[in-house]
Each structure stands twice: as C-alpha cells, then as structure tokens.
Amino acid sequence: MTHVENLIEELKTHQLMVAIRTETAEDAYNAAVACMEGGIRFIEITFSVPGADEVIRRLSKDKRAAVGAGTVLNTEDVKRALHAGASYIVSPNFDEEVVKFTKKAGAVSIPGACTPTEVYRAYKGGGDIIKLFPFVEIGGLAFLKAIRGPMPFVRYMLCGGANLENVPNYLAAGPAGILIGTAIIRRDLVAAKDWDGIAGLAKSFGGKVEDFRKCSGG
C-alpha cells in the first residue's frame, strides 16, 4: 500500500476527524493536543487559524496525530501546509489546481462538494475522499443514500451535524470518515481554556465508534 492508501484505510478505521478553527494559534494547538489525549488521531487545522502552518508544524512532530490542513482554497496554502508537515488537504470546495497540486505532492486530497455534478467532478479530478459539505443543509443521510445509488465508488466524508446522539447513524452509513467541528471544539470550552473538557468530548466520540464497532462485529 502507498502512504496515501494507508492513510485512507486508517481514517476508515478511526472514522473521526476533528476540524479545529480557533482565533489564535495557541488555542488551536492546545485544542489539538486535547483531542489527541482524548484518542482522536486525525486532526485538521483550518487555514482560518492565524499561523495555521506553524501549528501544523508543531503537531506533525507528535506521533499520535495524522495532521492535515483545512479550508485550503489555493495552491499557495497547499504549499505552506505540506511544507509544514500536513499529510492531507481538506477544502470546502473543489478546485482543480488545489487537488492536482496535492496529488502531485503525494498527499491525500479531500475536496468539498454538495451536488451530484460537483461530487463527480471532484472525484474525476483526483479527490481521494469527497467531503459532503454542508452535509445537513444538502439533505444529510438521505442525500448520501440517494447519491450513493449512481456513485457507490466514491469515498464520502460527512461534514456537519454529527453529535453524540446521532453519530451512530452516521457510522452506520459507512462513510470514509466523519468530520466533527464545534461538537468537540466547543467555543465555550476554548474560551475557558478547558482543554480537559475538550479531551473528554473527544473520548466520548471515540467511545461511540468503539461501541458501534463492537455491535457491528467490525
């Protein structure tokens, strides 16, 4: 298996990726460490965080994490992210140049899409996993079921709406991964610097994955 294939398979096993979007680099770093302490392996630092590439650089030295960059909108940010040690690039949209550059560099490409046409274009353009975003607004699990009919070969990441109550339903849909943001990186916890609280939420989500795996025999 290639590095890209290994990472995709690992995400399928872990299922959870946490997107960290905070107002400062230090908060992003501390929130990421809290997630890792709660058992989350896939950590996405969004490029809306000031100094996001430096946060990625610091986190990429920690063997507990597979670190990626999110909200990547242009090739300049791809370069910065990869240079800092990101192993996957996540975008809210499909940009052909961003995907091409990411793939050429040997990283995992996760572009966003929200219509059948966009999903297929992103897939044909080289996206390894297609992020359905905004997931709830485009129809959620019903949309996933509908689009899987004609396009079962696409790996889907579900982005939006997952919480501790419904995450078993998300897992049952068999996605390539589930992207979680404020359900774990709660603004009140970040504001209070309550990193233990964030670690606790991360652990709770991880427990849901373990429970689902046991119940499904996976």
Side-chain angles (χ1 to χ4, degrees):
M1 270 195 189
T2 65
H3 168 69
V4 166
E5 289 167 337
N6 276 329
L7 205 67
I8 292 168
E9 286 305 309
E10 195 177 355
L11 177 59
K12 279 186 181 177
T13 300
H14 283 272
Q15 282 289 289
L16 304 177
M17 179 185 290
V18 175
I20 297 178
R21 189 186 303 276
T22 58
E23 291 182 11
T24 70
E26 199 59 28
D27 281 350
Y29 178 78
N30 288 327
V33 170
C35 286
M36 287 187 279
E37 288 174 352
I40 301 291
R41 174 149 174 76
F42 286 83
I43 307 287
E44 173 202 315
I45 302 298
T46 67
F47 257 63
S48 58
V49 174
D53 50 342
E54 189 52 42
V55 179
I56 291 168
R57 187 171 288 108
R58 289 175 72 187
L59 292 171
S60 64
K61 296 170 185 172
D62 195 317
K63 299 300 179 188
R64 295 175 295 174
V67 187
T71 319
V72 178
L73 301 173
N74 54 66
T75 55
E76 200 54 47
D77 284 347
V78 178
K79 289 178 192 174
R80 288 171 57 208
L82 296 177
H83 184 68
S87 54
Y88 50 92
I89 300 294
V90 186
S91 300
N93 63 315
F94 167 60
D95 182 282
E96 192 175 355
E97 294 306 312
V98 166
V99 173
K100 273 186 184 175
F101 195 96
T102 302
K103 296 295 292 174
K104 190 174 180 182
V108 174
S109 173
I110 310 177
C114 70
T115 68
T117 298
E118 287 180 0
V119 167
Y120 192 67
R121 281 190 66 228
Y123 169 78
K124 287 290 282 182
D128 295 298
I129 299 169
I130 309 306
K131 182 176 84 166
L132 295 180
F133 171 79
F135 188 56
V136 172
E137 288 80 359
I138 61 177
L141 293 169
F143 178 84
L144 175 64
K145 184 178 179 182
I147 202 170
R148 264 223 182 108
M151 289 184 269
F153 45 82
V154 175
R155 300 185 191 98
Y156 296 99
M157 174 174 278
L158 314 183
C159 179
N163 55 48
L164 284 170
E165 287 68 44
N166 67 18
V167 77
N169 295 332
Y170 277 52
L171 292 165
I178 301 167
L179 188 60
I180 297 172
T182 54
I184 291 178
I185 312 299
R186 277 177 26 193
R187 289 178 185 174
D188 59 326
L189 297 180
V190 173
K193 315 290 186 193
D194 185 357
W195 311 124
D196 287 342
I198 288 174
L201 284 171
K203 191 171 183 180
S204 295
F205 271 92
K208 293 287 186 179
V209 175
E210 288 302 315
D211 291 346
F212 178 82
R213 195 172 287 131
K214 286 173 188 172
C215 291
S216 61

